Amino acid sequence: MEVRNLTLRQAAELLRDGAVTSVELCRAYLERIAEVEPSVQALLSLDRESVLEQAKASDERRASGKALGPYDGIPVTIKDNIAAKGYPCTCASKILRDFVSPYDATVTGKLKAAGFVLMGRANMDEFAMGSSCENSAYQKTRNPLNTDCVPGGSSGGSAAAVAAGETVIALGSDTGGSIRQPAAFCGIVGVKPTYGRVSRFGLVAFASSLDQIGPMSKSVYDAAAMLDVICGADPKDTTSLPAPVPEGGFAKDLEEFEKAPTLKGLRIGIPKEYFNVEGISDGVKKVCADARAKLEKLGAEFVDISLPHTKYAMACYYIIAPAEASANLARFDGIRYGYRSPNATDLLSTYLDSRGEGFGPEVVRRIMLGTYVLSSGYYDAYYVRAQKVRTLIRRDFTEAFKQCDVIFTPVTPATAFRFGEKSDPMQMYLSDVFTTALNLAGTCGISVPAGMDENTKMPVGIQLIAPDLAEDRMFRTARAFELERGIN
Ligand code: GLN
């Protein structure tokens, strides 16, 4: 069976029609993994036996008319910072090398309740800090479209696994762009849901006021269907919201929309600040111009808008995210979790040596930055000021959404770069210039493949941003665009 380009929607149909069993499907993926993993290296761990056991159990449920839903028996790959009971959860860090989750994240529980087969743990930048997967303590995931290039990050393993056809769909996490940027680099769809839409219980926290879990998939419909599965309020995450979804869910809403897909009456805002950025490549500009023409053809009307505080988003993000990270990562002390230095002789050296040896250089850099901006004397100058700027950034979006329904931007200034190309951390940070503002504001955004950069021959993604909890509008716009590109 050829599974390479199979979508969630197609897999569900095949299983429903009895054209394939879950065991057959999962075997085909395991073969595909064996074929491409030596070059792609997307997975940190894979328990083949458990995959086949889960598949067998799914087939038995289906045979007795007790399937848990349309997706029962379909493989899903999870980023290695989302807990699944009995599986490793290393966050691609040496400090969690031998850590096995004692419980399921809420999203993992929801996947299981829907019958999904958990297949593999995806590589990432250590503790989700990075934009290329080069910060993983274990391996370098390669971009399946050109193995000389990075897959993006931090959810690069999830993106590469989907793009290489090693899995049907994956989950990633997005704190400043970590779902959308690798999705764009690998030519797949990635969604950062509205803050609060998805429970983060069981996601290893990076920056708690920014983190969201979201789908990474081969199509917009698949992403919508996955969001249906994982969204919802959760008493275990007090930031999760009891937010409404369209009747029947996001995927059902798209099925209705597909009957007559038009964007007539939709106002799409183009923020001038996002297209005048230094370093935005000609290839990206050209694909964005083509995408705009396609959206106009669908009936959308483009309006010029301004998000004036965007220029402060990077600086603001790189104060707030490290500040929160320094607090969140304090728990990795060599006592309660994971690695303990064999060189430690007393309590203090246990902390210092375990952390010093267990964390990689980027994580250390963030902890130091975060501790500095929170320290007395600098707290007001950096942290408090960044919080004020954050309010202004959020206000920009609120104002902009008075003039338009959806905002259109590139996802990244350029396509996937080569390994080692961004050895200066500042250069690496700048690959997120279009994505971080969204996390600071809390709204939702999707990265949709829009075509190839004619110079680099690598994929370009466009970002469609919608107001808080308007994922349905975001999905409809993205789906119409996808159909216009001739993608079913
Ligand atoms: N690349 C950004 C960073 O390094 C965003 C990471 C993320 O979204 N997890 O912080």
Side-chain angles (χ1 to χ4, degrees):
M1 179 185 188
E2 177 58 51
V3 289
R4 198 173 166 176
N5 298 315
L6 196 67
T7 62
L8 180 67
R9 193 179 200 174
Q10 290 163 340
E13 276 169 23
L14 293 174
L15 285 163
R16 181 198 64 203
D17 299 344
V20 70
T21 64
S22 173
V23 169
E24 285 164 353
L25 189 65
C26 291
R27 279 226 166 90
Y29 277 105
L30 292 177
E31 275 168 32
R32 176 81 191 150
I33 290 172
E35 189 187 321
V36 298
E37 257 308 89
S39 65
V40 177
Q41 304 264 299
L43 305 178
L44 285 172
S45 56
L46 171 69
D47 183 342
R48 290 185 172 74
E49 239 164 72
S50 145
V51 169
L52 292 172
E53 265 166 36
Q54 296 173 70
K56 196 160 156 270
S58 166
D59 284 336
E60 283 165 11
R61 284 193 296 271
R62 207 175 272 274
S64 56
K66 293 197 184 104
L68 295 170
Y71 310 123
D72 198 335
I74 298 180
V76 60
T77 300
I78 301 181
K79 185 176 181 180
D80 210 32
N81 59 351
I82 301 173
K85 187 175 177 179
Y87 291 90
C89 185
T90 69
C91 296
S93 180
K94 191 178 160 194
I95 213 161
L96 287 173
R97 184 189 290 275
D98 300 317
F99 184 74
V100 172
S101 302
Y103 66 89
D104 277 334
T106 295
V107 291
T108 308
K110 284 173 183 271
L111 290 173
K112 285 183 178 173
F116 276 94
V117 172
L118 310 186
M119 188 179 71
R121 307 278 311 165
N123 192 27
M124 54 188 281
D125 286 295
E126 184 176 0
F127 284 106
M129 298 171 188
S131 310
S132 67
C133 270
E134 290 168 292
N135 294 340
S136 166
Y138 299 108
Q139 64 200 37
K140 289 202 189 341
T141 298
R142 291 166 193 283
N143 192 312
L145 289 99
N146 176 351
T147 50
D148 292 335
C149 293
V150 302
S154 64
S155 312
S158 301
V162 172
E166 293 180 53
T167 188
V168 180
I169 193 160
L171 290 187
S173 67
D174 192 313
T175 305
S178 277
I179 288 177
R180 290 159 288 152
Q181 185 257 24
F185 276 10
C186 292
I188 64 162
V189 173
V191 172
K192 202 282 292 177
T194 307
Y195 188 74
R197 179 62 92 177
V198 179
S199 163
R200 288 99 40 86
F201 177 75
L203 167 70
V204 178
F206 165 8
S208 309
S209 76
L210 303 161
D211 300 337
Q212 266 292 290
I213 296 172
M216 305 182 76
S217 61
K218 297 190 186 93
S219 75
V220 173
Y221 181 93
D222 284 9
M226 180 51 89
L227 190 59
D228 282 330
V229 173
I230 61 172
C231 74
D234 174 13
K236 291 181 180 143
D237 175 356
T238 49
T239 67
S240 66
L241 294 166
V245 295
E247 207 182 320
F250 296 111
K252 186 96 203 126
D253 184 63
L254 283 187
E255 286 170 26
E256 281 308 308
F257 177 70
E258 283 171 352
K259 292 177 187 162
T262 166
L263 298 181
K264 237 187 172 67
L266 189 84
R267 293 164 308 162
I268 300 184
I270 286 253
K272 58 172 187 274
E273 294 82 2
Y274 282 63
F275 289 88
N276 298 338
V277 172
E278 208 183 307
I280 175 161
S281 79
D282 290 342
V284 168
K285 274 193 202 150
K286 177 155 191 317
V287 172
C288 285
D290 289 351
R292 174 176 177 160
K294 287 194 174 67
L295 290 161
E296 278 171 339
K297 194 164 160 232
L298 284 156
E301 179 203 331
F302 274 76
V303 291
D304 290 324
I305 58 159
S306 173
L307 296 167
H309 296 94
T310 287
K311 55 177 178 290
Y312 305 119
M314 292 302 295
C316 179
Y317 173 85
Y318 277 100
I319 290 173
I320 292 176
E324 294 183 17
S326 70
N328 277 325
L329 269 56
R331 74 192 70 186
F332 302 103
D333 54 7
I335 307 277
R336 287 171 297 174
Y337 302 97
Y339 178 78
R340 179 179 301 173
S341 171
N343 307 321
T345 48
D346 56 8
L347 184 63
L348 191 61
S349 64
T350 302
Y351 293 154
L352 295 178
D353 294 346
S354 304
R355 287 168 69 80
E357 293 160 25
F359 289 135
E362 183 61 27
V363 176
V364 169
R365 183 176 297 122
R366 304 280 179 113
I367 292 173
M368 282 165 47
L369 267 174
T371 313
Y372 179 76
V373 299
L374 289 176
S375 59
S376 69
Y378 294 103
Y379 183 87
D380 288 329
Y382 292 108
Y383 185 70
V384 171
R385 201 178 273 190
Q387 291 292 14
K388 289 181 180 164
V389 172
R390 181 176 188 173
T391 303
L392 297 176
I393 290 171
R394 173 151 176 86
R395 212 174 279 160
D396 277 359
F397 280 92
T398 313
E399 286 303 312
F401 282 124
K402 289 180 184 159
Q403 293 166 54
C404 64
D405 308 301
V406 170
I407 296 173
F408 170 105
T409 77
V411 182
T412 54
T415 54
F417 45 89
R418 284 167 192 267
F419 288 95
E421 197 181 314
K422 305 222 185 246
S423 47
D424 169 12
M426 249 335 254
Q427 285 308 314
M428 186 71 86
Y429 296 173
L430 284 172
S431 44
D432 299 314
V433 15
F434 299 138
T435 48
T436 49
L438 216 83
N439 300 72
L440 292 165
T443 56
C444 56
I446 188 169
S447 168
V448 199
M452 288 288 179
D453 179 322
E454 56 190 18
N455 301 316
T456 62
K457 315 279 181 244
M458 290 300 278
V460 176
I462 58 162
Q463 177 170 241
L464 298 167
I465 307 167
D468 294 349
L469 301 172
E471 280 90 351
D472 50 349
R473 190 189 304 166
M474 172 190 85
F475 281 132
R476 282 174 171 229
T477 314
R479 180 70 183 126
F481 176 70
E482 196 179 55
L483 285 168
E484 185 62 30
R485 285 192 69 219
I487 294 164
N488 243 313

